[in-house]
Amino acid sequence: MDYQLVVGTVGFIVVSTFILYCDVLFIITRNRHSNRFNSAFFRLWWNQGFFDLLSLTFFTATMYSRCFNAMVPVFLYMNRYPIWTKFAQVTQEVIMYVQATTVVLEFGVRLMTMCLPSAYITKVVDHLPKWKLLVALISLPLIIATPFYCIYNFQYGLKGTNVPLLLSTPDVTYDTSIFFIGLVYRVTALVLCLCGYVYMFDTIRRKGARAEFKILLHGVCLVIALIAVITSSLCRRFKIGESYQLVRVAFLSTMLWIPCTNILVL
């Protein structure tokens, strides 16, 4: 596979996703007082969409730009300033945790709205303002990832040719720690989503609400994306297939999978 073609394809996906998010966020904002877009799900989705725009910007600045040889000296120069390398790595982890949290919260809101519409907790969640939903979205990822900023030092390094710059740390325990913490976090999110999906599917099937099967499609696509992220982390940790360029591209673009899935199947 031609390297320039791969880089161009990833760039096209980033730009297209960014434009779609801007368009959808504009529509939600313009119609925020309507019954449909004033629901807890769309308020949560607005927060997540705004965060995903920041994620796409971060990906472009700190990950996608590593694919270009002209940027190699820039990233190596950043090693002189640990505060920036720490920020880049910890922010990357926070983004990945927030994405998994987003999938769980979206499932939770959908589940309460469809299966428990008259429950007290559903009414409370449905009236939560955006800022409280945002706190619920980012608080746990920040709590988990912040200690890594305080404990570890990170540096950019080169690995082979035509390979994006990779963040590394002199302390080898970091790789093990971040892998297991991330794996437990994502697998927990996956289990919660699967349980919620089974319950939601059974409820919709019994009600015969065919119009709501689109919600199930949205859910199953997010679950597949989450499984793909978990699989990618396993392959990266155990260096499975890293000699193949396509696999390295998958490692590079893992941060894009959940945002792209979320916007395409909304």
Side-chain angles (χ1 to χ4, degrees):
M1 181 179 293
D2 182 73
Y3 181 72
Q4 297 300 326
L5 176 61
V6 170
V7 172
T9 302
V10 173
F12 174 78
I13 292 173
V14 171
V15 173
S16 301
T17 305
F18 192 93
I19 293 174
L20 283 174
Y21 264 109
C22 289
D23 186 46
V24 173
L25 287 176
F26 174 76
I27 293 173
I28 294 176
T29 302
R30 186 179 60 183
N31 299 282
R32 62 186 180 276
H33 298 301
S34 64
N35 291 332
R36 179 186 180 188
F37 292 108
N38 195 33
S39 63
F41 174 80
F42 279 102
R43 288 198 299 274
L44 174 64
W45 201 97
W46 192 96
N47 284 328
Q48 184 232 331
F50 180 76
F51 190 87
D52 282 342
L53 287 179
L54 295 179
S55 302
L56 292 170
T57 303
F58 174 84
F59 172 83
T60 303
T62 66
M63 300 183 71
Y64 181 66
S65 57
R66 302 180 205 173
C67 298
F68 302 95
N69 292 332
M71 295 299 296
V72 171
V74 176
F75 283 99
L76 294 181
Y77 183 79
M78 287 178 62
N79 288 334
R80 300 183 182 183
Y81 304 96
I83 187 173
W84 291 112
T85 54
K86 283 186 176 185
F87 173 79
Q89 180 64 14
V90 174
T91 302
Q92 178 179 329
E93 299 303 328
V94 170
I95 288 172
M96 298 301 291
Y97 294 156
V98 168
Q99 289 179 354
T101 306
T102 296
V103 177
V104 175
L105 290 180
E106 286 189 0
F107 263 96
V109 172
R110 291 287 203 188
L111 179 65
M112 287 185 288
T113 303
M114 296 171 56
C115 304
L116 306 167
S118 58
Y120 175 75
I121 188 173
T122 303
K123 297 178 181 178
V124 171
V125 171
D126 196 47
H127 290 85
L128 286 177
K130 287 181 181 178
W131 71 269
K132 289 186 178 180
L133 292 171
L134 179 62
V135 170
L137 187 65
I138 66 175
S139 56
L140 185 57
L142 284 174
I143 291 172
I144 293 175
T146 299
F148 290 110
Y149 182 88
C150 303
I151 298 172
Y152 298 108
N153 291 314
F154 308 99
Q155 288 186 331
Y156 283 102
L158 288 172
K159 186 176 182 181
T161 58
N162 282 344
V163 179
L165 288 162
L166 302 175
L167 279 167
S168 60
T169 174
D171 190 342
V172 295
T173 60
Y174 167 76
D175 292 328
T176 303
S177 300
I178 202 67
F179 167 72
F180 281 110
I181 291 174
L183 182 64
V184 170
Y185 195 93
R186 296 182 186 104
V187 170
T188 302
L190 178 62
V191 171
L192 290 173
C193 289
L194 288 175
C195 293
Y197 185 85
V198 170
Y199 182 72
M200 193 161 51
F201 177 82
D202 183 65
T203 301
I204 292 177
R205 182 182 59 81
R206 285 188 285 105
K207 289 182 177 179
R210 294 183 178 273
E212 295 178 342
F213 273 98
K214 181 181 178 181
I215 296 176
L216 292 178
L217 176 62
H218 181 222
V220 75
C221 289
L222 287 177
V223 167
I224 292 173
L226 186 55
I227 292 174
V229 170
I230 294 173
T231 303
S232 176
S233 67
L234 288 169
C235 292
R236 186 186 299 111
R237 176 67 178 85
F238 297 106
K239 301 180 180 180
I240 300 174
E242 68 173 5
S243 60
Y244 297 98
Q245 194 172 75
L246 185 60
V247 176
R248 294 200 299 269
V249 172
F251 292 166
L252 171 69
S253 60
T254 303
M255 188 183 293
L256 303 177
W257 296 353
I258 291 178
C260 290
T261 301
N262 202 31
I263 190 67
L264 290 176
V265 298
L266 177 65

